[in-house]
Amino acid sequence: MFTTTTTSSDGTTHPVVGVTCTSPTNIAVVKYWGKRDISLNLPINSSVSVTLDQSDLRTITTVTASPSFKSKGDRLWLNGTEEDVASNRRLVVVFREMRRLAREAPDSVRAQASVADVDAVSFWVQSRNTFPTAAGLASSASGYACLVFALSRLLGLETTPEVTAVARQGSGSACRSLFGGFVRWRMGEKEDGTDSVASQVAPKEHWPEMEALIMVASRAKKHTSSTSGMMTSVQTSALLSHRAKNVVPERMEKMEAAYLAKDFTTFAELTMRDSNQFHATCLDTFPPIFYMNDVSRAVVNAVHMINKGYGKIVAAYTYDAGPNAVIYVLKEHSLNVLALLLTAFPAGDSQSAGVVGGEGSGYVLSSQLEATMKLVDAGVPNVKPELVQQMCNIAEAGRLIQVIHTRVGPGPQVVDAETGAFWEE
Ligand code: DP6
């Protein structure tokens, strides 16, 4: 938390309080797809996700509050460009609901808050993502989670179920980014959505060996937004309602049990099956939605080849509403799997390309031979020559722009203020 001042046009100074926070992204292993209430953002099924480490991908948000900024009203700059808050319904709802929670908080909580009168102040917010430029990864989850978390800290609120329900109204998947480790979002049953909230299943310390390889195949913005894709799927896909009613409830239980038992084989199989079923519902939508591309499908085949080559499941792919794979893998196998995948899918078509993060940093493999040599140099155990050969055979199935090697991480954090006085613009 920091305190500073702003100067009005007549030269007088006024107090400003602020806080800077960081927030992670998350990748679901039982996917959220479909809303039963669009205005409250209530899902047709529960979902569960792994929170990724913030050292590789995060949103940084500074929220400031003052009764005396140069203009009235809440304002927000995203990656340096101002958004029109008043015309963005989700932002309006987030500010309105956080003010309501602050007003309704017990006196003891309000006494701790840095903002005494939430209706007298405007919030001016600066938010940016530190995703590697090439990543093309979704940022609404970390973005809304960070805004809600920073507002809650300024208002003296803990990360209560009510606070997660506000993040859910910003973007559904954002409620899961309010916690680290393994996080569930229960769909809830009530019409007002008060029981559609997120909670932590296990902290990151529970399974620190869990790592993720993000295979960036495209940096293009998705052609069908999640919100509109979900609407069409709910209206047209019989498979989607079958999935929500008959598949997800049991899968949620099995998935949480597998994660708690650190049973990678079950976790991995369920993850791959759930991704495949989500994309099958997209194909069953009319007109169909295609998020995966040829490279995505080739990566799916490569992962199955690797698992077959090992004689057990060592890697699990999952795809959100885009062509980039996230591959969950345990630490003991991550470098081997990375090297094998790079044999089939050389990374790098520009200076900024290659592998970032993790121990695999610096791998930029431009040829099959180079890739295979790296494997030999690394003395990769368990990798049979036939498997390397198979990978070489599917080489050039497609190039990757970048691979991000990351791991399971913690929830949002308060950090020291590090921004300039943007509210003086
Ligand atoms: C495929 O949370 O982005 O990533 O609630 O409309 O903002 P809105 O959708 P969003 O959808 C995420 C869909 C998904 C699956 C998931 O994260 O569970």
Short mmCIF file of all heavy atoms in Angstrom, two decimals, residues 35-43 89-90 93-94 96-97 165-166 168-171 191-193 227 231:
data_model
loop_
_atom_site.label_atom_id
_atom_site.label_comp_id
_atom_site.label_asym_id
_atom_site.label_seq_id
_atom_site.Cartn_x
_atom_site.Cartn_y
_atom_site.Cartn_z
N LYS A 35 -22.62 -20.84 -20.58
CA LYS A 35 -23.18 -20.05 -19.47
C LYS A 35 -24.66 -20.37 -19.34
O LYS A 35 -25.36 -20.49 -20.34
CB LYS A 35 -23.02 -18.55 -19.75
CG LYS A 35 -21.57 -18.10 -19.94
CD LYS A 35 -21.51 -16.64 -20.36
CE LYS A 35 -20.22 -16.32 -21.07
NZ LYS A 35 -19.16 -15.77 -20.26
N ARG A 36 -25.12 -20.44 -18.08
CA ARG A 36 -26.57 -20.58 -17.88
C ARG A 36 -27.20 -19.22 -17.62
O ARG A 36 -28.42 -19.07 -17.70
CB ARG A 36 -26.88 -21.57 -16.76
CG ARG A 36 -26.48 -21.13 -15.37
CD ARG A 36 -26.91 -22.19 -14.34
NE ARG A 36 -26.87 -21.68 -12.97
CZ ARG A 36 -25.77 -21.60 -12.25
NH1 ARG A 36 -24.60 -21.99 -12.74
NH2 ARG A 36 -25.81 -21.13 -11.01
N ASP A 37 -26.37 -18.22 -17.26
CA ASP A 37 -26.87 -16.85 -17.10
C ASP A 37 -25.78 -15.92 -17.60
O ASP A 37 -24.68 -15.86 -17.03
CB ASP A 37 -27.19 -16.59 -15.62
CG ASP A 37 -27.76 -15.19 -15.40
OD1 ASP A 37 -27.22 -14.21 -15.97
OD2 ASP A 37 -28.75 -15.07 -14.65
N ILE A 38 -26.09 -15.22 -18.68
CA ILE A 38 -25.05 -14.41 -19.32
C ILE A 38 -24.74 -13.17 -18.50
O ILE A 38 -23.58 -12.81 -18.32
CB ILE A 38 -25.46 -14.05 -20.76
CG1 ILE A 38 -25.47 -15.34 -21.60
CG2 ILE A 38 -24.51 -13.02 -21.38
CD1 ILE A 38 -26.09 -15.23 -22.94
N SER A 39 -25.76 -12.51 -17.94
CA SER A 39 -25.45 -11.24 -17.27
C SER A 39 -24.69 -11.48 -15.95
O SER A 39 -23.82 -10.70 -15.59
CB SER A 39 -26.69 -10.39 -17.08
OG SER A 39 -27.46 -10.91 -16.05
N LEU A 40 -24.97 -12.59 -15.25
CA LEU A 40 -24.22 -12.87 -14.01
C LEU A 40 -22.98 -13.75 -14.28
O LEU A 40 -22.23 -14.05 -13.36
CB LEU A 40 -25.12 -13.57 -12.99
CG LEU A 40 -26.18 -12.70 -12.33
CD1 LEU A 40 -27.12 -13.56 -11.50
CD2 LEU A 40 -25.53 -11.64 -11.44
N ASN A 41 -22.80 -14.15 -15.52
CA ASN A 41 -21.69 -15.02 -15.90
C ASN A 41 -21.68 -16.31 -15.08
O ASN A 41 -20.68 -16.65 -14.43
CB ASN A 41 -20.35 -14.27 -15.73
CG ASN A 41 -19.43 -14.54 -16.91
OD1 ASN A 41 -19.85 -15.06 -17.94
ND2 ASN A 41 -18.17 -14.19 -16.75
N LEU A 42 -22.79 -17.02 -15.11
CA LEU A 42 -22.89 -18.29 -14.37
C LEU A 42 -22.71 -19.45 -15.35
O LEU A 42 -23.35 -19.47 -16.41
CB LEU A 42 -24.26 -18.40 -13.69
CG LEU A 42 -24.56 -17.30 -12.68
CD1 LEU A 42 -25.97 -17.44 -12.13
CD2 LEU A 42 -23.54 -17.36 -11.54
N PRO A 43 -21.87 -20.42 -15.00
CA PRO A 43 -21.54 -21.50 -15.94
C PRO A 43 -22.54 -22.65 -15.90
O PRO A 43 -23.27 -22.80 -14.93
CB PRO A 43 -20.18 -21.97 -15.42
CG PRO A 43 -20.29 -21.78 -13.94
CD PRO A 43 -21.15 -20.54 -13.73
N ARG A 89 -19.24 -3.12 -19.79
CA ARG A 89 -20.16 -3.59 -18.74
C ARG A 89 -19.45 -4.40 -17.65
O ARG A 89 -19.73 -4.26 -16.46
CB ARG A 89 -21.25 -4.47 -19.38
CG ARG A 89 -22.48 -4.64 -18.51
CD ARG A 89 -23.49 -5.60 -19.14
NE ARG A 89 -22.98 -6.95 -19.25
CZ ARG A 89 -23.01 -7.86 -18.27
NH1 ARG A 89 -23.54 -7.54 -17.10
NH2 ARG A 89 -22.52 -9.08 -18.43
N ARG A 90 -18.49 -5.24 -18.07
CA ARG A 90 -17.81 -6.08 -17.07
C ARG A 90 -17.01 -5.25 -16.07
O ARG A 90 -17.00 -5.53 -14.87
CB ARG A 90 -16.89 -7.08 -17.77
CG ARG A 90 -17.68 -8.10 -18.58
CD ARG A 90 -16.75 -8.99 -19.35
NE ARG A 90 -17.47 -9.99 -20.09
CZ ARG A 90 -17.08 -11.25 -20.24
NH1 ARG A 90 -15.95 -11.66 -19.70
NH2 ARG A 90 -17.79 -12.10 -20.93
N VAL A 93 -19.39 -3.49 -13.68
CA VAL A 93 -19.90 -4.43 -12.67
C VAL A 93 -18.84 -4.68 -11.59
O VAL A 93 -19.14 -4.70 -10.40
CB VAL A 93 -20.34 -5.76 -13.34
CG1 VAL A 93 -20.59 -6.84 -12.30
CG2 VAL A 93 -21.59 -5.54 -14.19
N VAL A 94 -17.59 -4.87 -12.01
CA VAL A 94 -16.53 -5.14 -11.03
C VAL A 94 -16.38 -3.97 -10.05
O VAL A 94 -16.36 -4.17 -8.83
CB VAL A 94 -15.19 -5.46 -11.74
CG1 VAL A 94 -14.02 -5.39 -10.76
CG2 VAL A 94 -15.26 -6.86 -12.37
N ARG A 96 -18.60 -1.66 -9.34
CA ARG A 96 -19.85 -1.51 -8.57
C ARG A 96 -19.92 -2.56 -7.45
O ARG A 96 -20.21 -2.25 -6.29
CB ARG A 96 -21.04 -1.69 -9.51
CG ARG A 96 -22.39 -1.44 -8.84
CD ARG A 96 -23.54 -1.94 -9.71
NE ARG A 96 -23.59 -3.39 -9.76
CZ ARG A 96 -24.08 -4.12 -10.76
NH1 ARG A 96 -24.56 -3.53 -11.84
NH2 ARG A 96 -24.08 -5.44 -10.72
N GLU A 97 -19.61 -3.82 -7.80
CA GLU A 97 -19.72 -4.90 -6.82
C GLU A 97 -18.65 -4.81 -5.72
O GLU A 97 -18.92 -5.13 -4.57
CB GLU A 97 -19.66 -6.26 -7.52
CG GLU A 97 -20.89 -6.56 -8.35
CD GLU A 97 -22.15 -6.59 -7.48
OE1 GLU A 97 -22.28 -7.51 -6.66
OE2 GLU A 97 -22.99 -5.68 -7.60
N ALA A 165 -16.71 -14.22 -6.52
CA ALA A 165 -17.91 -14.06 -7.36
C ALA A 165 -17.84 -12.76 -8.16
O ALA A 165 -18.39 -12.68 -9.26
CB ALA A 165 -19.17 -14.11 -6.50
N VAL A 166 -17.17 -11.75 -7.62
CA VAL A 166 -17.01 -10.50 -8.39
C VAL A 166 -16.04 -10.75 -9.56
O VAL A 166 -16.31 -10.36 -10.70
CB VAL A 166 -16.50 -9.35 -7.50
CG1 VAL A 166 -16.29 -8.09 -8.33
CG2 VAL A 166 -17.47 -9.07 -6.36
N ARG A 168 -15.53 -13.50 -11.05
CA ARG A 168 -16.27 -14.32 -12.02
C ARG A 168 -17.09 -13.47 -12.98
O ARG A 168 -17.22 -13.78 -14.16
CB ARG A 168 -17.21 -15.25 -11.24
CG ARG A 168 -18.04 -16.18 -12.10
CD ARG A 168 -19.27 -16.67 -11.34
NE ARG A 168 -20.32 -15.68 -11.35
CZ ARG A 168 -21.03 -15.32 -10.28
NH1 ARG A 168 -20.82 -15.87 -9.10
NH2 ARG A 168 -21.98 -14.40 -10.40
N GLN A 169 -17.60 -12.34 -12.46
CA GLN A 169 -18.41 -11.48 -13.33
C GLN A 169 -17.55 -10.64 -14.27
O GLN A 169 -18.04 -10.12 -15.27
CB GLN A 169 -19.31 -10.59 -12.47
CG GLN A 169 -20.37 -11.43 -11.76
CD GLN A 169 -21.24 -10.59 -10.85
OE1 GLN A 169 -22.12 -9.87 -11.28
NE2 GLN A 169 -20.96 -10.67 -9.56
N GLY A 170 -16.24 -10.53 -13.95
CA GLY A 170 -15.32 -9.88 -14.89
C GLY A 170 -15.03 -10.83 -16.04
O GLY A 170 -15.22 -10.53 -17.21
N SER A 171 -14.59 -12.04 -15.69
CA SER A 171 -14.38 -13.11 -16.66
C SER A 171 -14.46 -14.40 -15.87
O SER A 171 -13.84 -14.50 -14.79
CB SER A 171 -13.00 -12.95 -17.31
OG SER A 171 -12.80 -13.96 -18.27
N GLU A 191 -29.98 -18.93 -8.30
CA GLU A 191 -30.20 -18.02 -9.43
C GLU A 191 -29.38 -16.74 -9.32
O GLU A 191 -29.00 -16.15 -10.33
CB GLU A 191 -31.69 -17.67 -9.54
CG GLU A 191 -32.41 -18.63 -10.44
CD GLU A 191 -33.86 -18.27 -10.62
OE1 GLU A 191 -34.19 -17.07 -10.57
OE2 GLU A 191 -34.65 -19.21 -10.80
N ASP A 192 -29.13 -16.30 -8.08
CA ASP A 192 -28.37 -15.04 -7.92
C ASP A 192 -26.86 -15.26 -8.02
O ASP A 192 -26.09 -14.31 -7.94
CB ASP A 192 -28.74 -14.35 -6.60
CG ASP A 192 -28.29 -15.17 -5.39
OD1 ASP A 192 -27.66 -16.23 -5.57
OD2 ASP A 192 -28.56 -14.72 -4.26
N GLY A 193 -26.44 -16.52 -8.16
CA GLY A 193 -25.03 -16.81 -8.40
C GLY A 193 -24.14 -16.73 -7.16
O GLY A 193 -22.92 -16.88 -7.27
N THR A 227 -16.73 -15.82 -25.07
CA THR A 227 -18.09 -15.46 -24.71
C THR A 227 -19.07 -15.79 -25.84
O THR A 227 -20.09 -16.45 -25.62
CB THR A 227 -18.16 -13.96 -24.38
OG1 THR A 227 -17.15 -13.70 -23.40
CG2 THR A 227 -19.51 -13.56 -23.84
N MET A 231 -21.94 -18.98 -26.23
CA MET A 231 -23.36 -18.75 -26.48
C MET A 231 -23.87 -19.65 -27.61
O MET A 231 -24.91 -20.31 -27.49
CB MET A 231 -23.60 -17.28 -26.86
CG MET A 231 -23.83 -16.41 -25.65
SD MET A 231 -23.86 -14.68 -26.11
CE MET A 231 -25.35 -14.60 -27.08
#
